[in-house]
Amino acid sequence: MSLSIVILAAGKGTRMRSDLPKVLQPLAHKPLLGYVINASMSVNPSQLVIVYGYGGNLVKKAFPSEHIQWVEQKEQLGTGHAVQQAIPLIKDEGCTLILYGDVPLIDQETIQSLIKKGQKNLVVLTYQKENPKGYGRIVRKDDRIQKIVEEKDCDALQKNIKEINTGIMCAPNHLLKNWLKRLNNQNVQKEYYLTDIVGLSIEDNIEVLSESADNEVSITGINSKFELATMERSYQLMTAKKLMEEGVTIIDPSRIDIRGEVTAGQDVLIDVGCIFEGKVILGNHVKIAAYSHVKDSVIGDHTSIEPYSHIVQSVIGENCRIGPFARLRPGTKLQNKVHIGNFVEIKNSEVNNETNINHLSYVGDSLVGKSVNIGAGAITCNYDGANKHPTTIEDDVFIGSNTALVAPIKIGKGATIAAGSTITKDAPPGELTVSRSKQTSISGWTKPTKK
């Protein structure tokens, strides 16, 4: 059967107090609407229609998929009115699932259950909420749904009902189209409520079915920055739980942020305050120490990332030790048994096996060989003010502290560069190269005094 999905995403989100449309507010660095689109596409709908409104150009630009049909709701006249805008695009056969762009964590299993029940009947997604304030209530008689009453229209008895309407529903297209034509705005808000189709279904002697959500977070909408932050924590806990079920040790799952996808091997340990972005792959026995930030990177087996390290678009081999306070910038590739120490920055460089860059150094646009030692404060001067230039350091080289290697330059195999040197020419292999100005002491010199 043909499946259409309509996502309502026209609201401004006034309580967000933001120029950014509500459905583009970020959850784990991804727009809210993106989660709903992904959940929708997971069930392979025949068509996906998004009803947009405020900030429409921004919303459409954020999701330039050819699989999405867009329709504008120029006036905000209620949820029923929003679906009415999409109806001209919906086929007569099949069924339609209605989702919301600010309810990001709706899951595939729930969607599939709704679709199964919504082939011949209207089915609504409900939830038993301990504090139902602000939600429409499900009114039943003999366990059958009779109507949905919005909070503002509830009488005293109806306000005590704990079963709430999530707004998410599925219905056969020919019935849905008929009901939408019959909607009116005779209510306190003077809006066209989508929930009124429940009464119309009963009026037509068609039973209204229900599906109960398994957890509250999957049906929770976001309307404010506080609710967004609360959802962020819920999402992070869910993601951390999934990793822990796969065997990852997370010291405190309430203090981790995963803003993308993390794949981990066996016996991985993640300490508190770590942030993961994009696609991160962690090998077996990897340790990520406190407050480290890893983005779009691969970390090999038995490698340890020490506290406060920052790693972006890098590939790290096995048995390496990085940090603390190390920074690996895009294009960094480390082979095995490499040590990158505190306050060392590597950019767009390959560092081969068993090389040590222990502290306070910068290596950029470089190829560093095996068993190299780069001393404290040594840097590659790769930028001439207009262009970047490469540095090659061959195997078994020793670079003394506070050395400046002015690129383009090559340091030969087994060479030693004396501390404090500024090297502007290639250094021959196996020899000591020194480049310092003559040391001079000036007699009779006095220190300046403070004025």
Side-chain angles (χ1 to χ4, degrees):
M1 178 176 280
S2 174
L3 170 66
S4 300
I5 297 180
V6 175
I7 302 175
L8 306 187
K12 178 179 180 180
T14 305
R15 282 189 280 164
M16 286 288 181
R17 298 184 179 275
S18 171
D19 292 332
L20 195 66
K22 180 167 68 168
V23 295
L24 294 187
Q25 296 292 328
L27 176 68
H29 277 204
K30 179 179 173 180
L32 297 177
L33 180 56
Y35 291 90
V36 189
I37 291 174
N38 287 348
S40 299
M41 297 307 294
S42 72
V43 294
N44 299 312
S46 303
Q47 59 182 150
L48 175 60
V49 181
I50 299 179
V51 182
Y52 70 93
Y54 177 79
N57 289 334
L58 287 175
V59 176
K60 292 169 70 175
K61 187 177 179 181
F63 303 99
S65 172
E66 60 183 16
H67 301 294
I68 297 174
Q69 295 175 272
W70 298 92
V71 61
E72 185 178 10
Q73 184 187 20
K74 294 181 180 179
E75 294 183 271
Q76 309 294 298
L77 301 178
T79 51
H81 178 259
V83 180
Q84 285 174 343
Q85 310 313 300
I87 282 300
L89 300 177
I90 301 300
K91 301 173 183 177
D92 290 334
E93 70 277 4
C95 65
T96 293
L97 173 69
I98 299 167
L99 301 175
Y100 294 82
D102 62 354
V103 182
L105 299 187
I106 183 69
D107 57 89
Q108 182 182 354
E109 292 77 13
T110 300
I111 288 175
Q112 289 174 329
S113 296
L114 287 166
I115 294 168
K116 186 177 181 180
K117 290 183 178 181
Q119 305 293 316
K120 296 181 180 180
N121 294 73
L122 172 62
V123 54
V124 299
L125 183 63
T126 71
Y127 182 72
Q128 292 287 339
K129 188 171 174 64
E130 192 60 34
N131 180 9
K133 185 177 180 181
Y135 289 85
R137 308 301 202 275
I138 303 294
V139 179
R140 293 179 181 266
K141 183 178 181 181
D142 299 327
D143 201 38
R144 289 192 172 191
I145 295 177
Q146 298 299 304
K147 58 183 176 179
I148 299 174
V149 183
E150 296 298 324
E151 166 86 1
K152 293 186 173 98
D153 300 315
C154 282
D155 59 31
L157 188 62
Q158 290 167 343
K159 285 185 177 180
N160 291 325
I161 297 173
K162 294 188 182 298
E163 186 179 17
I164 64 162
N165 169 47
T166 67
I168 296 169
M169 57 181 66
C170 188
N173 290 348
H174 68 285
L175 295 176
L176 179 62
K177 289 186 175 187
N178 176 269
W179 293 330
L180 288 169
K181 289 178 183 178
R182 293 154 60 188
L183 288 181
N184 63 65
N185 63 347
Q186 302 304 306
N187 51 65
V188 174
Q189 294 293 98
K190 298 299 179 183
E191 292 184 350
Y192 295 90
Y193 291 153
L194 181 62
T195 50
D196 285 349
I197 68 174
V198 171
L200 295 173
S201 177
I202 293 168
E203 186 179 309
D204 293 344
N205 295 314
I206 299 172
E207 183 180 1
V208 179
L209 304 180
S210 65
E211 177 71 19
S212 181
D214 291 333
N215 59 78
E216 187 170 358
V217 72
S218 69
I219 54 91
T220 299
I222 298 173
N223 297 295
S224 68
K225 289 295 177 66
F226 179 77
E227 290 176 356
L228 184 63
T230 302
M231 180 65 77
E232 178 80 30
R233 248 333 86 198
S234 296
Y235 175 83
Q236 295 299 342
L237 283 170
M238 289 168 54
T239 307
K241 181 181 178 184
K242 182 179 178 182
L243 280 175
M244 290 188 288
E245 288 171 348
E246 295 171 355
V248 177
T249 299
I250 298 176
I251 298 301
D252 185 351
S254 68
R255 288 189 285 170
I256 186 172
D257 285 89
I258 299 171
R259 302 164 183 171
E261 176 188 349
V262 175
T263 303
Q266 289 187 324
D267 296 309
V268 170
L269 185 146
I270 300 173
D271 210 333
V272 301
C274 293
I275 298 173
F276 299 90
E277 293 187 58
K279 187 173 183 179
V280 175
I281 299 174
L282 307 177
N284 299 317
H285 302 277
V286 167
K287 175 187 173 185
I288 310 292
Y291 302 103
S292 291
H293 184 176
V294 184
K295 179 179 181 181
D296 292 317
S297 296
V298 178
I299 300 176
D301 296 350
H302 297 279
T303 285
S304 176
I305 309 299
E306 300 301 324
Y308 297 97
S309 294
H310 193 270
I311 300 166
V312 177
Q313 295 176 20
S314 298
V315 177
I316 301 173
E318 299 178 2
N319 295 288
C320 294
R321 184 158 58 93
I322 311 300
F325 298 99
R327 185 184 183 197
L328 306 186
R329 291 169 58 192
T332 295
K333 184 176 181 181
L334 309 182
Q335 299 295 337
N336 302 326
K337 296 183 180 179
V338 172
H339 177 209
I340 305 297
N342 51 290
F343 302 104
V344 170
E345 180 179 349
I346 311 289
K347 189 270 292 185
N348 191 35
S349 297
E350 181 173 352
V351 180
N352 280 275
N353 296 337
E354 299 183 327
T355 284
N356 295 322
I357 309 174
N358 285 314
H359 31 228
L360 302 164
S361 296
Y362 169 70
V363 175
D365 301 302
S366 299
L367 174 61
V368 182
K370 300 176 183 178
S371 302
V372 171
N373 187 88
I374 296 180
I379 65 169
T380 58
C381 306
N382 57 323
Y383 183 52
D384 64 7
N387 300 293
K388 300 291 179 68
H389 300 281
T391 295
T392 300
I393 301 173
E394 295 187 337
D395 298 348
D396 302 308
V397 166
F398 182 94
I399 307 291
S401 297
N402 292 323
T403 293
L405 304 177
V406 182
I409 199 166
K410 179 179 178 180
I411 309 301
K413 183 177 180 180
T416 297
I417 307 299
S421 295
T422 297
I423 305 299
T424 59
K425 300 177 182 178
D426 291 354
E431 296 184 8
L432 171 65
T433 298
V434 184
S435 176
R436 302 172 182 156
S437 62
K438 182 179 179 181
Q439 181 172 317
T440 304
S441 296
I442 301 173
S443 60
W445 178 85
T446 58
K447 292 182 180 179
T449 57
K450 188 173 181 179
K451 296 180 180 179

